[in-house]
Amino acid sequence: CAQTSTLDKIKQSGAMTLAYRESSIPFSYLDDKAQPTGFGFEICEKIADRVKAATGRSDLKKQYQAVTSANRIPLLVNGTIDIECGSTTNNSERGKQVQFAINYFYTGTRFLVKTGTNVNKLSDLAGKTVVSTTGTTNFQILRRLNEEQKLGIDLIGAKDHAESALLVETGRAVAFGMDDILLYGLRAASQNPGSLAVVGEPIQVEPYAIMLRKDDPTFQKLVDDTLAAMMKSGEFEALYKKWFQSPIPPKGINLNAPMSKELQDNLKNLSDKPAT
């Protein structure tokens, strides 16, 4: 069926619904006043400003809808939300249902270790105890590589990220393998951030991107043009510094997460290529 384009839908209703996540720090989450905030959320707000201009609705009403990993795609497809700017991995499987904008973050599996531990790559952990969180793609990747490369790593599964980090802090595991951005957050929130380091070459890098509905080239162009303009003007880098390299709400923690080489490259390439 020919669906109404997102811009026409917004122009007719005078409202645009932006999706947010409740705890995807620092991309999209609730602050101490229970208001949505974050790196991705601010980009969504910028896009809404462009929509206001493009539709000529100076009275545009912005509505906010919380989404989860499980319902974000169905709510976009059925028209409940118009855009999602969270920590959603752009992959080919999801690309069958939704359209992704230019990639705006890259994360890879890296390691949380005690400061001073010399780990640059997975093989440096041969014969040692490594933890990852049960039920994550990271755990599966590490288990597969350990078997393929016959590294003899003693890979243990913890019930959540906090328990995984604790095993490293207490010396029961040498390293915790997880998405590096989550490791930066765990380190920043720990009792003594200086005692922990995020190290290693990233394994299996995945891009995050903004989601919109499929087959809507006009809206896709508006979103991509907004991102491209931010990336070219330096505004994107300033926003990155604000959310990844400065104290952020609610606790004033600084993630101290430098921009990855992949993201630096994409400020020039402006690619929306999915993860394999």
Side-chain angles (χ1 to χ4, degrees):
C1 62
Q3 54 171 28
T4 316
S5 79
T6 302
L7 288 176
D8 287 343
K9 171 178 175 278
I10 292 167
K11 191 171 186 170
Q12 283 157 17
S13 69
M16 177 178 184
T17 305
L18 285 62
Y20 67 89
R21 300 289 297 269
E22 292 180 334
S23 58
S24 291
I25 298 170
F27 298 94
S28 177
Y29 64 102
L30 292 173
D31 65 16
D32 46 1
K33 297 180 188 68
Q35 295 304 308
T37 189
F39 174 69
F41 184 77
E42 279 203 48
I43 292 173
C44 253
E45 291 275 13
K46 279 260 172 260
I47 292 163
D49 291 342
R50 292 283 289 259
V51 167
K52 187 187 277 193
T55 54
R57 295 288 309 227
S58 54
D59 60 344
L60 181 73
K61 197 157 134 269
K62 287 185 289 192
Q63 296 169 164
Y64 304 105
Q65 167 79 43
V67 295
T68 63
S69 296
N71 70 17
R72 58 192 164 182
I73 291 176
L75 291 180
L76 180 70
V77 172
N78 75 16
T80 305
I81 62 172
D82 294 313
I83 192 166
E84 191 261 358
C85 309
S87 52
T88 299
T89 298
N90 168 6
N91 63 30
S92 321
E93 191 53 41
R94 288 174 178 159
K96 292 172 187 168
Q97 301 179 74
V98 300
Q99 176 65 50
F100 285 101
I102 292 166
N103 296 328
Y104 74 166
F105 194 79
Y106 291 82
T107 182
T109 302
R110 291 173 70 206
F111 298 99
L112 184 74
V113 297
K114 282 189 172 163
T115 301
T117 309
N118 193 11
V119 177
N120 298 306
K121 51 193 184 302
L122 185 62
S123 56
D124 294 340
L125 291 163
K128 300 193 164 78
T129 302
V130 176
V131 64
S132 190
T133 308
T134 312
T136 59
T137 53
N138 315 76
F139 185 91
Q140 292 161 6
I141 292 160
L142 293 171
R143 186 171 57 191
R144 193 189 77 228
L145 293 175
N146 188 30
E147 285 165 12
E148 284 174 7
Q149 298 174 23
K150 303 189 170 44
L151 297 171
I153 290 170
D154 177 19
L155 182 63
I156 50 179
K159 71 173 189 302
D160 56 31
H161 299 332
E163 188 187 18
S164 293
L166 187 66
L167 291 180
V168 171
E169 290 177 89
T170 54
R172 283 176 291 166
V174 174
F176 164 28
M178 186 46 57
D179 286 356
D180 57 3
I181 188 55
L182 297 176
L183 295 178
Y184 281 112
L186 287 160
R187 182 187 69 179
S190 71
Q191 294 286 297
N192 179 7
S195 69
L196 297 167
V198 178
V199 298
E201 285 296 314
I203 303 165
Q204 186 152 328
V205 175
E206 297 192 333
Y208 290 170
I210 293 168
M211 280 199 300
L212 24 143
R213 276 181 286 281
K214 269 185 99 61
D215 306 318
D216 191 347
T218 334
F219 188 51
Q220 187 188 346
K221 184 175 180 333
L222 180 145
V223 172
D224 280 343
D225 286 352
T226 307
L227 277 165
M230 290 177 75
M231 287 174 170
K232 288 191 177 112
S233 68
E235 190 182 354
F236 183 91
E237 275 177 275
L239 203 59
Y240 185 97
K241 283 201 176 80
K242 173 181 172 179
W243 288 102
F244 294 93
Q245 297 181 303
S246 315
I248 56 169
K251 294 186 182 144
I253 284 171
N254 183 343
L255 296 182
N256 279 314
M259 192 183 284
S260 66
K261 182 174 182 321
E262 289 84 1
L263 185 51
Q264 287 171 24
D265 290 346
N266 212 40
L267 299 191
K268 300 183 200 77
N269 302 337
L270 306 175
S271 163
D272 60 4
K273 191 171 169 321
T276 39

